Amino acid sequence: MTGVNRFKEQYHTLQEKVTVKFNRITNLIIVLVTLVATTYLIEVCSLLIIKELPVYQSRWVFRANKPPAYSDSPYFNADFIHESANGERSRLDDKVRRLINFEGKYINVIDGHRRTAFVPENATNTVHIYGSSTIYSQEVPDEYTIPSIVQRKVNEITTKYKVVNYGAVSMNSEQQLYFLRETKLKEGDIVIFCDGGPDILHNVYNGYEHGVNINTLQNSQKPDILGSQIVPVLEKVKLINFATLLKYIKQKSSPLNTRNAEEVTARAIKASENFANNIRLAHQYSKMSGADFYHFLQPTIFSLKSRTKHEQFLIDNFLLTPPGIERVFYYSIDKFVRQSNALNAQGVVSIDLSNVLENRQGEVFLDFAHTTERANEAIAMAIFSNVEWAP
């Protein structure tokens, strides 16, 4: 091979290597540019989508901005909202949630019970009212809770009774029964259960067999891969809007266990049967001590035959109303009403108050379950009117 030919061959070889290297660099640049462009496009699209999404406020931000239900509330101010947010203190054990004493201007917990206003000094019997957060009534000062309003109405006809508020956040009928069995009753006392919502929320929606306690919360905690792994990576590579959109979608999505109607219905049937059994046992326990027993099925926003635009907004706000809970109530509430009617047929006073707020004046709901003083007045009046009071 001549020197010229050898040179040409080396030149072509070098040229091929340069071409291959150039092509690799070009492909890498194309990949990088495509990646950057795709990232930018994802961010822009995510931002545009986010701008079109409804903006919702979380529980305490929403309440601090004086929503319509607080429009005429004489006690509403920043100090009340701060106390409302911090006054409910409690601890969970393996059975129930127990309140921790608290002293405030608007909210007081004494000896583990929310303070009832207007209690007469010389009362000889006790009205024990059990329920969840709606009975505890964190949304209003002491004198506007359902038990306090019942006390005020009772005082108009007799000073024989003092009302004790056994309300605690998230307490279902099984836990009310547990608290009742810790209570020493005497002849002439009255026991009132006001419930239903927490059994649907925790036993059907959340799938907690025994309601909320320290064990169920620990056993139900699932790793949040999106929040703990995916979102931090996206934020690290500056996909901030995309990460925000994913978090929004996750928050708004119904839990997997609420999407199958047959499974929800099966849990609702079981929960309603357990619910009815707890009410029967509470009735028996009360009667054994000579106390009268009354059960009331509480109202929620889902019980309303028609809703205002604001009430629908409260349901749509997934920061105030758990996603999918309306569907669960739809498959559950009729079963609880049937059990309530069956209890009546068995001699247990069980009254359905689910429609008691149909004639509400103005807005009364702060979320799907919690109300302010006007609704509390209507519920308390319904309870008062259905109880036989000794003179």
Side-chain angles (χ1 to χ4, degrees):
M1 181 180 292
T2 64
V4 173
N5 290 334
R6 188 180 298 111
F7 174 77
K8 287 182 178 180
E9 184 178 342
Q10 291 175 347
Y11 174 78
H12 286 305
T13 301
L14 180 61
Q15 190 178 41
E16 288 176 358
K17 289 181 179 179
V18 170
T19 301
V20 170
K21 190 171 185 179
F22 176 79
N23 288 339
R24 288 177 178 174
I25 294 173
T26 301
N27 291 337
L28 180 60
I29 292 173
I30 291 172
V31 169
L32 290 175
V33 170
T34 302
L35 184 60
V36 171
T38 302
T39 300
Y40 180 77
L41 183 61
I42 290 173
E43 271 295 272
V44 170
C45 290
S46 297
L47 178 60
L48 293 175
I49 293 172
I50 289 170
K51 285 184 176 180
E52 295 299 317
L53 294 174
V55 177
Y56 296 124
Q57 296 173 331
S58 59
R59 181 183 188 187
W60 295 110
V61 173
F62 175 74
R63 294 185 182 186
N65 286 327
K66 198 174 186 178
Y70 277 135
S71 60
D72 299 322
S73 301
Y75 52 83
F76 183 89
N77 58 53
D79 289 339
F80 164 72
I81 291 297
H82 177 77
E83 197 167 299
S84 178
N86 295 280
E88 194 283 316
R89 298 179 180 177
S90 58
R91 60 179 177 83
L92 288 169
D93 60 27
D94 62 344
K95 296 293 184 182
V96 294
R97 182 190 303 274
R98 298 185 183 276
L99 298 182
I100 297 173
N101 288 351
F102 178 84
E103 183 177 354
K105 178 180 179 181
Y106 303 96
I107 294 174
N108 293 272
V109 176
I110 304 169
D111 296 330
H113 302 293
R114 177 80 191 269
R115 171 181 169 266
T116 301
F118 319 118
V119 174
E121 292 184 2
N122 299 319
T124 56
N125 282 102
T126 302
V127 180
H128 309 266
I129 302 184
Y130 298 83
S132 61
S133 53
T134 52
I135 293 299
Y136 176 85
S137 299
Q138 184 177 5
E139 293 67 32
V140 295
D142 291 342
E143 59 266 35
Y144 294 104
T145 68
I146 292 172
S148 288
I149 298 172
V150 170
Q151 180 74 76
R152 172 165 55 80
K153 299 300 297 181
V154 172
N155 291 351
E156 294 175 4
I157 58 174
T158 180
T159 58
K160 175 183 174 67
Y161 300 100
K162 68 173 180 179
V163 177
V164 177
N165 185 340
Y166 289 83
V169 173
S170 300
M171 188 158 63
N172 68 355
S173 60
E174 179 180 327
Q175 293 166 325
Q176 291 171 195
L177 176 62
Y178 184 85
F179 270 123
L180 174 61
R181 285 170 167 165
E182 289 187 340
T183 306
K184 186 176 181 180
L185 303 176
K186 66 179 180 180
E187 181 131 5
D189 283 357
I190 294 174
V191 173
I192 295 173
F193 273 26
C194 186
D195 47 38
D199 287 73
I200 296 176
L201 174 61
H202 298 301
N203 295 68
V204 185
Y205 179 81
N206 289 325
Y208 301 156
E209 185 176 357
H210 301 290
V212 177
N213 59 50
I214 195 169
N215 295 327
T216 55
L217 291 184
Q218 289 176 346
N219 295 335
S220 64
Q221 290 177 349
K222 299 178 181 178
D224 181 10
I225 298 176
L226 177 65
S228 63
Q229 299 180 31
I230 297 176
V231 166
V233 171
L234 292 174
E235 292 175 340
K236 192 172 183 179
V237 298
K238 305 304 180 184
L239 286 170
I240 307 299
N241 292 316
F242 185 46
T244 301
L245 180 60
L246 289 181
K247 286 190 291 185
Y248 187 99
I249 293 172
K250 182 178 185 297
Q251 285 182 303
K252 191 171 177 58
S253 299
S254 303
L256 291 176
N257 72 331
T258 67
R259 299 178 190 179
N260 185 298
E262 291 182 359
E263 292 178 2
V264 172
T265 299
R267 289 201 304 274
I269 292 173
K270 181 180 180 181
S272 65
E273 291 173 349
N274 290 339
F275 162 83
N277 189 51
N278 292 328
I279 303 306
R280 276 191 292 270
L281 292 172
H283 172 264
Q284 294 169 7
Y285 181 88
S286 301
K287 288 300 181 181
M288 285 173 57
S289 300
D292 290 334
F293 178 83
Y294 296 85
H295 172 254
F296 296 91
L297 193 61
Q298 69 184 104
T300 71
I301 202 168
F302 305 123
S303 308
L304 302 175
K305 294 178 181 177
S306 62
R307 302 168 185 162
T308 66
K309 289 184 178 179
H310 180 70
E311 287 164 346
Q312 187 60 50
F313 168 81
L314 295 178
I315 294 173
D316 294 339
N317 183 345
F318 54 84
L319 300 178
L320 300 179
T321 300
I325 187 66
E326 181 176 14
R327 174 182 172 86
V328 170
F329 263 81
Y330 175 81
Y331 285 110
S332 302
I333 191 61
D334 61 323
K335 296 163 185 60
F336 281 76
V337 171
R338 282 201 295 269
Q339 290 291 351
S340 176
N341 294 336
L343 287 167
N344 266 310
Q346 298 163 15
V348 180
V349 179
S350 183
I351 300 169
D352 179 11
L353 296 185
S354 59
N355 296 318
V356 76
L357 298 178
E358 285 297 336
N359 297 321
R360 62 204 178 283
Q361 300 298 313
E363 302 293 351
V364 298
F365 281 96
L366 292 167
D367 52 43
F368 75 99
H370 301 104
T371 57
T372 53
E373 67 280 0
R374 289 193 302 277
N376 286 358
E377 184 84 26
I379 296 168
M381 188 62 194
I383 292 173
F384 169 78
S385 299
N386 283 285
V387 173
E388 292 187 13
W389 305 98

